[in-house]
Amino acid sequence: MKPIGHTIIRLDEVESTSTLMLEDSAYLENHGLVVIARHQTGGRGRMGRRWASLPGGQLQFSLVLHPNLPPEEVPLLSLVSGLAVARALEDVLALSPALKWPNDVLLGGGKVCGILVEGAPGRGGRPRLVIGIGVNCDGTPGDFPPEVRASLTTLAHETGAPVDKEALLQAILAQLNALHERLAAGDKAALLAEWSRRALLRGHRVRMNAADGAREGEPVGLTAEGCLIIATDDGGQYAQLSGELEWLR
Ligand code: BTN
């Protein structure tokens, strides 16, 4: 398998690097291809939200991944992508980011990176994933639209220094390659344990909005499949793989 990042296409402006890849099988069939853009005019976030783009001020890219994993482990790549970004921020900038399920990366309580993992069916039913990663690098929260300002931060704001986006890109790609290989080698339990060590869990309160209703509680850990386990007020616990998680505090 070629490494993730074997080819990097660099664009000045595009609607969304992820949409571009999902709409063209020539991109989707190319495992490891990366498309990076200086500006996205229609960047997309999780749950149908918009992803605000600061022209030139973010690291915004998508990559195609053909998982070398059994189907039940493919969803773990969502958690592992957040872990890869956290490790890269630690390596390049000596920061200690926190992870918020499923894959937000936080610094000082503000979101510094968002990740969108989308699947497309490939040949023989094998999934092709498009993993889109956006890291807020330059500027301050005040440069972003008012509705997202309070919840995000930027690397420059946290470190007080400009960010070498190329070094950060290469470090994230190196971590993604290493972690995908470790998962394929059966190291799932160790990676989930590392994710949990870096995660916001006990002491927080969440509401899971799922098809069968909303339930509130305290996030306490992960199942072996990467579902978030929530301890509910009635003393029970439940875990759900998909649903919209609202962080109440
Ligand atoms: C989120 O936190 O809601 C996910 C944000 C993902 C943003 C990235 S930027 C590169 C790629 N292209 C997109 O349109 N979205 C992802």
Side-chain angles (χ1 to χ4, degrees), residues 45-47 49 75-86 98-106 111 113-117 191-192 195-196 198-201 206 208 219 221-222 225-228 240-247:
R46 296 180 58 245
M47 304 293 163
R49 287 187 281 259
L76 295 177
L77 286 165
S78 174
L79 298 175
V80 159
S81 301
L83 186 55
V85 173
L99 295 168
K100 190 168 162 184
W101 192 89
N103 51 25
D104 285 350
V105 183
L106 279 73
K111 177 164 162 173
C113 169
I115 301 176
L116 178 65
V117 180
L191 295 184
L192 290 181
W195 188 94
S196 298
R198 295 167 182 261
L200 301 185
L201 291 171
V206 295
M208 180 70 88
L222 293 178
E225 296 77 32
C227 302
L228 186 69
Q240 189 149 333
L241 188 55
S242 67
E244 183 175 10
L245 190 73
E246 249 180 277
W247 286 75

Side-chain angles (χ1 to χ4, degrees), residues 32-212:
L33 175 70
V34 172
V35 173
I36 179 166
R38 193 188 65 86
H39 179 45
Q40 297 186 115
T41 54
R44 295 186 293 106
R46 296 180 58 245
M47 304 293 163
R49 287 187 281 259
R50 280 183 59 81
W51 172 258
S53 172
L54 272 195
Q58 286 151 309
L59 183 59
Q60 305 186 103
F61 65 97
S62 299
L63 59 99
V64 176
L65 190 107
H66 297 178
N68 185 20
L69 301 172
E72 67 276 12
E73 290 189 7
V74 171
L76 295 177
L77 286 165
S78 174
L79 298 175
V80 159
S81 301
L83 186 55
V85 173
R87 283 177 161 206
L89 289 174
E90 206 170 273
D91 288 353
V92 177
L93 294 166
L95 292 166
S96 302
L99 295 168
K100 190 168 162 184
W101 192 89
N103 51 25
D104 285 350
V105 183
L106 279 73
L107 281 173
K111 177 164 162 173
V112 74
C113 169
I115 301 176
L116 178 65
V117 180
E118 297 171 288
R123 289 200 194 110
R126 292 182 66 82
R128 272 75 178 98
L129 297 187
V130 172
I131 303 181
I133 300 182
V135 187
N136 302 327
C137 294
D138 304 336
T140 68
D143 298 327
F144 287 80
E147 62 278 12
V148 290
R149 262 176 215 166
S151 60
L152 64 75
T153 191
T154 68
L155 291 175
H157 186 67
E158 296 299 322
T159 63
V163 180
D164 182 344
K165 297 186 195 70
E166 186 60 30
L168 186 56
L169 170 68
Q170 295 302 336
I172 294 172
L173 297 179
Q175 287 295 346
L176 280 169
N177 274 307
L179 294 180
H180 181 221
E181 266 172 36
R182 277 188 60 189
L183 257 189
D187 232 354
K188 175 172 99 168
L191 295 184
L192 290 181
E194 182 182 339
W195 188 94
S196 298
R197 275 201 304 279
R198 295 167 182 261
L200 301 185
L201 291 171
R202 291 184 184 278
H204 293 271
R205 195 160 177 85
V206 295
R207 180 187 298 130
M208 180 70 88
N209 298 307
D212 58 346

